[in-house]
């Protein structure tokens, strides 16, 4: 037997042995009150990888799985052109090494099988019935959430395994990571982080896979899948090191917005979340700032975070709060996902239950109502955004361009702490104008006693995984409303785009800095009064060529968002919400992060000097590129290298 073979067999034996005996020491319980917060750790957070465990491993294992104890970056990975390793490379871990990982992680390692593999023969899993079910459910977010690596935007995956019955076709991994760790303890996260860092491997974090830009995808990566971390704890009287004393909730990384709302409802409080029930809470949502229908009272969701538990790039579990790692605390609230660490839980302030008034209706062209006339009605709506936001309200609307007409849908106007009378008084000038213009409508206006039923009846269920739409957005500052000339210019741009056949949607909302906090939330959100969404359509997206995809991408970047950028420039606190943005946004640093970018970049270098975390358009990502060839947009289907 050649020595190399011998080593291999010995390794295999050790792996078998490890499954039985060595796996356990990694799981070390630490005392539950070991953090600075006024809440015990969740059980899953008490199972940690410790120095003692690492010391008990072989030298080889220590190299693979040990912590990063070097205080500063050695410069080792800073060469231009330096790439993260990729499957097929000589440095790519052997089967034996992956097995060793799996053993230490108690069997939590999952080699990726693409969600739609049953639609193709090449994985040996072809099953027409299963394929049909996946195909039918593809727009159901929970299908993707239950899968270790799926993301809801197949274009950024590279469209290499679409859910169509193609037995003779080929399904490949594309941007899907090579392996995922099905995390159920902090130790799992630490093992994955240490392994990726020590082996110069690409790392991704996936919670629900909602991310619009492909940030929870990455070819040749190891993925930390947080979906199963589901704990929620209500705290009646939380004493924060920020000075806050009152009701709070501690929320684990895998909990969704709906689960937070349900818990808040149960304890008769209001928690800040978005309008999409299936979005993750403590992951991408909080990291990006998190906009919410309650913004008129309490700002951004991230403004309400008192503390976070997080595993940092060196593999260590730390608390980020006002007095514990305050700079990390600052960055994790608004500085973007997958950048500074893996958040395992957040502690948020919750607020008193308030009544909510909502109002939904549709107005459209037809009869005497021309498109131009309808836009006169929309003009009055836009003109009232200052009084609307002063009255703590929010609205969500769509303006659909149809064959020959237009339809404006209010879905809904959302007025916390209002009565039907106060709501009617607030919107009276707008509704009067609509009547004066001869625009017919019947608003369905309802009073709810609290947030959850109002939320539930108006937003209900999500559908996702559009293959044909490329969305983007712009945050329009209040300054455009205060200066009549700016308003006129901006309004002309929007009206003109709509009249020429483009659909758009959006919100009136003004989080301002209503909680008076200092965090990384983009300066654009402190000034925003309207958030608008636009999109480009990819015709025949399934088989669209790179040139066709490029054309759609350019249309989004330049035809749709270009004019918006011009009338809401960063220099006047315009910007774009990083969580729902166009991945090809030019000058994304200023656009997504506003004036916070320089400090965020400094903190990125401090907390992740070896670039363990990468995601497209994340802070510091300009130092890297994904070599995906010419795909017509930025997918994650390629090797990650330094530029
Ligand atoms: C239909 C729909 C409606 C939406 N509505 C709203 C809304 O009303 N308000 C709003 O603000 N946003 C909204 N969003 C956007 C949403 O906030 C983002 O898509 C968000 O990034 C989703 O986070 P996730 O953790 O669920 O998703 P993922 O795709 O799993 O992750 C998103 C990003 O966060 C990173 N990440 C995930 N978990 C962690 C973690 N534990 N630690 C560190 N990084 C992590 C990922 O690596 C990735 O970069 C909506 C999105 C959709 C698709
Ligand atoms: C730990 O925290 C819990 C809840 O906050 C508290 O009841 C308990 O007294 C604490 N234990 C110690 C040893 O501090
Ligand atoms: C598809 O959806 C149906 C109904 O919601 C559900 O019963 C089924 O389990 C789903 N299938 C998959 C593969 O998720
Ligand atoms: C797949 O290929 C086989 C022969 O290789 C052929 O008989 C069959 O019709 C093909 N199926 C489809 C759906 O194209
Ligand atoms: C992930 O782990 C959980 C336990 O935390 C288990 O219930 C679940 O089945 C696992 N999922 C997969 C896909 O392995
Ligand atoms: C945060 O902590 C500092 C001390 O580090 C303290 O001075 C300050 O009052 C605390 N609260 C807030 C809201 O900053
Ligand atoms: C349309 O306008 C005409 C003339 O101004 C008027 O007579 C008619 O009643 C209007 N129709 C509707 C549906 O308002
Ligand atoms: C609701 O409005 C009333 C007065 O209209 C005010 O006193 C109260 O503070 C408001 N509630 C909240 C939660 O702000
Ligand atoms: C949402 O889906 C659930 C089933 O998952 C269904 O019972 C409910 O009626 C749906 N709600 C809406 C508003 O469509
Ligand atoms: C209006 O739209 C047309 C067609 O899209 C475009 O050519 C023109 O420049 C636009 N004008 C303004 C003022 O935006
Ligand atoms: C894309 O190509 C496949 C394989 O050639 C074909 O079966 C399918 O119908 C095409 N899809 C569209 C939308 O044209």
């Amino acid at each position: 037997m050649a020595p190399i073979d011998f080593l291999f067999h010995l390794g295999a034996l050790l792996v078998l042995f490890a499954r039985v005996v060595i796996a356990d020491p990694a799981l070390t319980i630490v005392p539950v009150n070991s953090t600075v917060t006024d809440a015990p750790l969740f059980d899953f957070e008490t199972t940690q990888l410790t120095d003692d465990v690492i010391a008990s491993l072989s030298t080889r294992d220590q190299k693979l799985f040990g912590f990063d104890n070097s205080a500063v970056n050695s410069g080792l990975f800073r060469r231009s052109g330096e790439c993260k390793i990729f499957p097929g490379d000589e440095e790519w871990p052997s089967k034996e090494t992956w097995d060793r990982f799996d053993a230490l992680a108690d069997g939590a390692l999952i080699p990726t099988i693409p969600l739609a593999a049953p639609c193709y023969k090449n994985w040996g899993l072809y099953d027409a019935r299963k394929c049909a079910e996946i195909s039918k459910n593809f727009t159901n977010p929970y299908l993707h959430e239950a899968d270790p690596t799926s993301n809801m935007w197949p274009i950024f995956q590279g469209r290499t395994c679409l859910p169509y019955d193609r037995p003779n076709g080929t399904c490949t991994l594309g941007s899907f990571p090579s392996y995922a760790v099905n995390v159920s303890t902090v130790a799992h996260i630490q093992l994955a982080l240490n392994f990726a860092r020590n082996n110069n491997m690409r790392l991704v974090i996936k919670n629900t896979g909602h991310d619009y830009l492909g940030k929870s995808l990455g070819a040749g990566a190891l993925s930390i899948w947080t979906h199963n971390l589901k704990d929620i704890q209500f705290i009646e009287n939380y004493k924060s090191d920020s000075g806050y004393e009152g009701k709070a909730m501690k929320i684990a990384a895998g909990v969704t917005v709906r689960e937070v709302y349900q818990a808040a409802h149960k304890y008769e409080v209001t928690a800040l979340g978005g309008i999409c029930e299936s979005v993750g809470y403590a992951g991408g949502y909080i990291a990006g700032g998190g906009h919410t229908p309650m913004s008129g009272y309490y700002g951004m969701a991230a403004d309400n975070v008192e503390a976070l538990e997080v595993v940092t790039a060196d593999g260590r579990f730390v608390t980020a709060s006002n007095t514990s790692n305050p700079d990390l605390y600052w960055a994790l609230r608004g500085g973007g996902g997958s950048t500074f660490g893996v958040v395992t839980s957040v502690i948020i302030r919750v607020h008193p239950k308030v009544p909510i008034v909502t109002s939904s209706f549709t107005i459209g062209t037809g009869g005497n109502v021309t498109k131009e006339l309808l836009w006169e009605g929309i003009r009055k709506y836009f003109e009232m955004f200052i009084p609307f936001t002063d009255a703590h309200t929010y609205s969500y609307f769509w303006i659909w361009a149809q064959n020959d007409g237009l339809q404006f849908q209010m879905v809904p106007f959302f007025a916390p702490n209002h009565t039907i009378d106060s709501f009617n008084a607030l919107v009276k000038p707008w509704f009067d104008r609509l009547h004066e213009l001869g625009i017919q409508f019947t608003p369905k206006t309802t009073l709810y006693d609290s947030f959850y039923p109002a939320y539930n009846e108006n937003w209900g269920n999500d559908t996702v995984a559009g293959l044909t739409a490329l969305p983007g957005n712009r945050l329009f500052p209040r300054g455009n409303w205060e200066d009549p000339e700016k308003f006129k210019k901006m309004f002309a741009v929007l009206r003109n785009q709509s009249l020429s056949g483009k659909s758009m949607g959006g919100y009136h909302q003004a989080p301002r800095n209503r909680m008076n906090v200092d965090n990384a939330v983009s300066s654009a959100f402190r000034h925003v009064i309207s958030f608008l969404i636009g999109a480009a359509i990819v015709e025949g997206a399934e088989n669209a060529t790179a040139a066709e995809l490029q054309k759609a991408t350019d249309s989004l970047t330049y035809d749709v968002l270009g004019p918006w950028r011009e009338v809401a420039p960063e220099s006047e606190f315009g910007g774009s919400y990083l969580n729902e943005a166009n991945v090809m946004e030019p000058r994304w640093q200023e656009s997504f992060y506003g004036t916070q970018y320089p400090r965020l970049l400094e903190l990125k270098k401090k907390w992740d000097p070896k670039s363990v975390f990468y995601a497209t358009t994340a802070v510091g990502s300009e130092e890297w590129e994904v070599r995906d060839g010419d795909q017509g947009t930025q997918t994650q289907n390629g090797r990650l290298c330094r530029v």
Side-chain angles (χ1 to χ4, degrees):
M1 190 184 283
I4 209 105
D5 274 346
F6 173 73
L7 279 175
F8 177 79
H9 286 287
L10 184 65
L13 276 176
L14 279 175
V15 166
L16 281 176
F17 180 65
R19 273 186 192 288
V20 185
V21 181
I22 303 179
D24 286 341
L27 314 175
T28 296
I29 312 292
V30 303
V32 292
N33 292 359
S34 67
T35 74
V36 299
T37 74
D38 184 30
L41 295 181
F42 285 136
D43 279 350
F44 81 84
E45 291 175 322
T46 66
T47 305
Q48 299 182 6
L49 193 62
T50 61
D51 287 313
D52 287 348
V53 173
I54 295 295
S56 75
L57 298 175
S58 69
T59 314
R60 180 172 181 276
D61 278 350
Q62 289 185 19
K63 250 184 90 184
L64 291 172
F65 301 105
F67 292 102
D68 182 7
N69 294 315
S70 61
V72 290
N73 173 28
S74 64
L76 192 62
F77 299 125
R78 283 207 171 261
R79 274 175 290 137
S80 163
E82 172 91 23
C83 297
K84 301 265 181 176
I85 60 169
F86 204 72
D89 288 356
E90 208 181 303
E91 299 89 340
W92 187 256
S94 63
K95 169 86 171 54
E96 175 214 343
T97 301
W98 284 112
D99 286 348
R100 179 68 183 136
F101 186 151
D102 191 37
L104 286 171
D106 258 351
L109 188 69
I110 305 175
T112 302
I113 298 171
L115 175 61
C119 296
Y120 301 81
K121 281 185 184 156
N122 69 305
W123 284 83
L125 297 169
Y126 180 72
D127 182 333
R129 194 192 52 77
K130 261 196 196 153
C131 173
E133 210 180 314
I134 291 164
S135 217
K136 194 172 102 236
N137 281 6
F138 210 67
T139 57
N140 176 349
Y142 298 106
L143 177 70
H144 303 276
E145 294 190 9
D147 183 87
T149 57
S150 190
N151 171 281
M152 302 181 196
W153 299 90
I155 285 180
F156 306 117
Q157 187 277 334
R159 295 174 292 160
T160 70
C161 192
L162 292 173
Y164 305 122
D165 195 332
R166 306 258 189 268
N168 296 348
T170 306
C171 155
T172 59
L173 284 182
S175 307
F176 291 133
S178 298
Y179 289 84
V181 182
N182 178 12
V183 170
S184 59
T185 66
V186 160
H188 287 153
I189 297 175
Q190 294 174 301
L191 275 171
L193 259 176
N194 288 355
F195 186 71
R197 184 194 57 247
N198 296 349
N199 292 287
N200 191 28
M201 183 180 293
R202 185 171 179 185
L203 180 84
V204 310
I205 308 164
K206 184 202 158 180
N207 182 16
T208 65
H210 261 288
D211 193 82
Y212 274 58
L213 304 89
K215 288 168 74 177
S216 41
L217 289 166
L222 171 64
S223 177
I224 292 177
W225 182 39
T226 58
H227 168 73
N228 289 304
L229 302 175
K230 287 293 192 185
D231 304 60
I232 301 182
Q233 190 202 349
F234 177 73
I235 306 159
E236 182 65 41
N237 190 16
Y238 184 78
K239 284 196 186 61
S240 175
D241 58 2
S242 77
Y244 172 72
E245 276 192 53
K247 292 180 177 160
M249 269 164 61
K250 175 163 163 148
I251 298 158
V255 171
T256 61
V257 165
R258 179 178 290 276
E259 290 161 343
V260 171
Y261 286 159
Q262 282 171 336
H265 186 59
K266 182 173 156 199
Y267 293 103
E268 305 205 312
V269 293
T270 309
L272 269 66
I275 65 172
C276 189
E277 54 150 11
S278 60
V279 163
Y281 195 84
Y285 176 73
I286 288 292
H291 65 90
T292 162
M294 293 303 294
S295 56
Y297 274 106
Y298 307 115
M300 302 291 285
D303 298 345
N304 292 267
V305 170
E306 291 296 329
L308 309 95
E309 304 293 353
V310 49
V311 183
T312 50
D314 55 6
R316 301 294 178 173
F317 180 73
V318 303
T319 300
S321 73
N322 183 42
T323 57
S324 172
N325 303 302
D327 59 352
L328 186 60
Y329 175 53
W330 183 86
L332 289 170
R333 293 172 299 154
S338 203
T339 308
F340 300 99
V342 183
V343 170
T344 66
S345 65
V346 297
I347 296 173
I348 56 164
R349 288 187 196 199
V350 291
H351 302 280
K353 179 174 148 174
V354 281
I356 310 276
V357 172
T358 70
S359 187
S360 305
F361 55 91
T362 299
I363 53 182
T365 53
N368 289 349
V369 180
T370 60
K371 292 200 250 187
E372 287 76 10
L373 191 84
L374 193 71
W375 267 92
E376 284 314 297
I378 297 172
R379 180 196 303 277
K380 187 66 190 173
Y381 167 53
F382 268 68
E383 280 173 356
M384 293 192 68
F385 284 2
I386 289 181
F388 286 168
T389 51
D390 284 349
H392 312 282
T393 67
Y394 161 108
S395 65
Y396 179 49
F397 66 93
W398 282 95
I399 305 170
W400 299 107
Q402 295 164 327
N403 293 335
D404 222 15
L406 278 181
Q407 206 181 53
F408 174 99
Q409 294 178 330
M410 175 53 70
V411 281
F413 199 104
F414 194 92
N417 202 22
H418 272 264
T419 61
I420 297 218
D421 284 349
S422 71
F423 166 78
N424 283 334
L426 179 68
V427 297
K428 186 167 189 302
W430 178 30
F431 283 10
D432 283 353
R433 178 70 179 143
L434 293 177
H435 290 130
E436 185 185 297
L437 291 165
I439 298 170
Q440 311 286 330
F441 67 108
T442 317
K444 179 177 174 281
T445 303
T446 312
L447 171 70
Y448 300 91
D449 77 338
S450 64
F451 182 87
Y452 190 65
Y455 167 81
N456 217 18
E457 277 198 27
N458 286 286
W459 287 300
N461 301 338
D462 309 329
T463 58
V464 296
L467 184 55
T468 56
L470 291 174
N473 72 79
R474 195 81 194 157
L475 304 173
F476 292 80
R478 184 180 168 113
N480 282 10
W481 274 254
E482 288 164 342
D483 177 337
E485 274 313 302
K486 285 182 183 165
F487 183 86
K488 211 168 127 193
K489 243 174 97 183
M490 172 188 70
F491 193 78
V493 161
L494 301 174
R495 176 179 180 276
N496 187 36
Q497 281 182 336
S498 168
L499 294 181
S500 63
K502 289 187 168 63
S503 295
M504 59 188 75
Y507 312 83
H508 89 255
Q509 59 167 301
R512 303 181 192 162
N513 192 353
R514 297 190 195 254
M515 299 301 285
N516 193 22
V517 289
D518 178 17
N519 61 27
V521 166
S522 170
S523 42
F525 268 117
R526 303 304 180 199
H527 294 262
V528 72
I529 201 163
S530 182
F531 172 142
L532 297 184
I533 304 162
I537 301 301
V538 190
E539 303 290 349
E542 182 191 351
N543 303 320
T545 60
E548 286 162 335
L549 203 48
Q550 179 79 53
K551 194 164 158 262
T553 300
D554 285 349
S555 164
L556 175 65
T557 306
Y558 302 109
D559 304 342
V560 178
L561 299 176
W564 294 8
R565 228 175 271 127
E566 262 172 51
V567 296
E570 286 86 22
S571 58
E572 295 173 12
F573 297 108
S576 179
Y577 182 35
L578 66 92
N579 266 352
E580 301 176 31
N582 170 19
V583 72
M584 302 308 283
E585 181 69 28
R587 299 192 318 275
W588 53 264
Q589 291 90 337
E590 300 154 70
S591 190
F592 295 178
Y593 303 91
T595 55
Q596 315 291 47
Y597 198 73
R599 178 156 186 222
L600 282 167
L601 191 57
E602 242 173 68
L603 292 175
K604 172 70 176 176
K605 287 175 179 158
K606 174 183 167 187
W607 284 97
D608 186 15
K610 292 184 177 168
S611 293
V612 177
F613 301 109
Y614 166 87
T616 188
T617 72
V619 172
S621 63
E622 63 272 27
E623 290 190 11
W624 296 85
E625 65 184 0
V626 175
R627 296 189 181 159
D628 66 344
D630 177 18
Q631 302 243 4
T633 185
Q634 181 64 63
T635 74
Q636 295 308 309
N637 185 12
R639 189 191 278 270
L640 181 62
C641 301
R642 277 196 185 275
V643 282

